Amino acid sequence: MELALDEARAAGEAGEVPVGCAIVRNGAVIAKAGNRTLRDRDPTAHAELIAIRQAAALLDSERLTDCDLYVTLEPCAMCAAAISFARIRRLYYGAGDPKGGAVQHGVAFFDSRTCHHRPELYGGIGEKEAAALLRNFFRERR
C-alpha cells in the first residue's frame, strides 16, 4: 500500500485527485499509477484503470487472475467493473468513499447478481493516510 500512497502523493502534487494504485504478482510490483484524468484529458484515467492496463500489457493477457490490486480509495463503479473483468484476485483499498465508492458504498458492485467475478476484499488498509491526503487536497481547493 505504501507504493500506492506514493503514487497518490505524486498525483496530488500534479493537481490530480490524490489516488494511487499498485498491482502485485508473486510478491513483485508489476504496475503502479496515480490518477491522470486532468493530464490525459481522459475521464477514465483513474489510477486503477491505468495500472490494470499496464499489468495486462506486461503479462500479455486481459486476465490478471494471480494479481492483487492496492488502491488508496475505494474504487468507483467503473474501476470495480474493470477489477472484476480483469479477474483481480484480491483488492486492498484504503479510505472508503461514501459518495463515489462502489465496493462497500453505492452500488456495491461485487454484491450484484450480474457481477461475474468478485475479488477477495480488504478495506481500511492505510486508511488514515489515504483519507488525510484527500482531505488536505480538497481543503486547499476550497
Side-chain angles (χ1 to χ4, degrees):
M1 184 59 83
E2 193 56 44
L3 284 175
L5 287 164
D6 289 345
E7 291 293 321
R9 284 185 211 97
E13 290 169 10
E16 301 279 359
V17 174
V19 176
C21 179
I23 297 179
V24 175
R25 179 178 185 234
N26 298 328
V29 176
I30 62 168
K32 59 184 179 171
N35 274 0
R36 296 192 330 218
T37 59
L38 298 175
R39 186 189 98 177
D40 293 359
R41 301 283 187 239
D42 179 357
T44 70
H46 289 197
E48 299 97 309
L49 292 184
I50 296 165
I52 287 170
R53 289 176 187 136
Q54 289 173 358
L58 178 77
L59 299 177
D60 195 30
S61 176
E62 73 284 4
R63 300 285 189 244
L64 306 176
T65 56
D66 55 353
C67 295
D68 302 330
L69 188 146
Y70 295 78
V71 64
T72 58
L73 182 65
E74 177 184 354
C76 69
M78 174 180 67
C79 293
I83 289 164
S84 177
F85 295 154
R87 306 298 196 261
I88 297 286
R89 177 178 51 191
R90 294 182 195 104
L91 168 61
Y92 299 88
Y93 65 91
D97 185 358
K99 286 185 177 180
V103 175
Q104 105 184 77
H105 297 94
V107 299
F109 184 85
F110 299 123
D111 292 335
S112 169
R113 290 184 310 118
T114 59
C115 180
H116 297 290
H117 170 77
R118 176 188 166 98
E120 293 177 34
L121 300 172
Y122 303 93
I125 312 299
E127 180 176 19
K128 287 182 182 179
E129 187 168 358
L133 283 170
L134 289 159
R135 263 193 317 276
N136 293 337
F137 176 82
F138 287 111
R139 184 180 309 129
E140 291 174 8
R141 274 148 187 75
R142 289 189 184 122

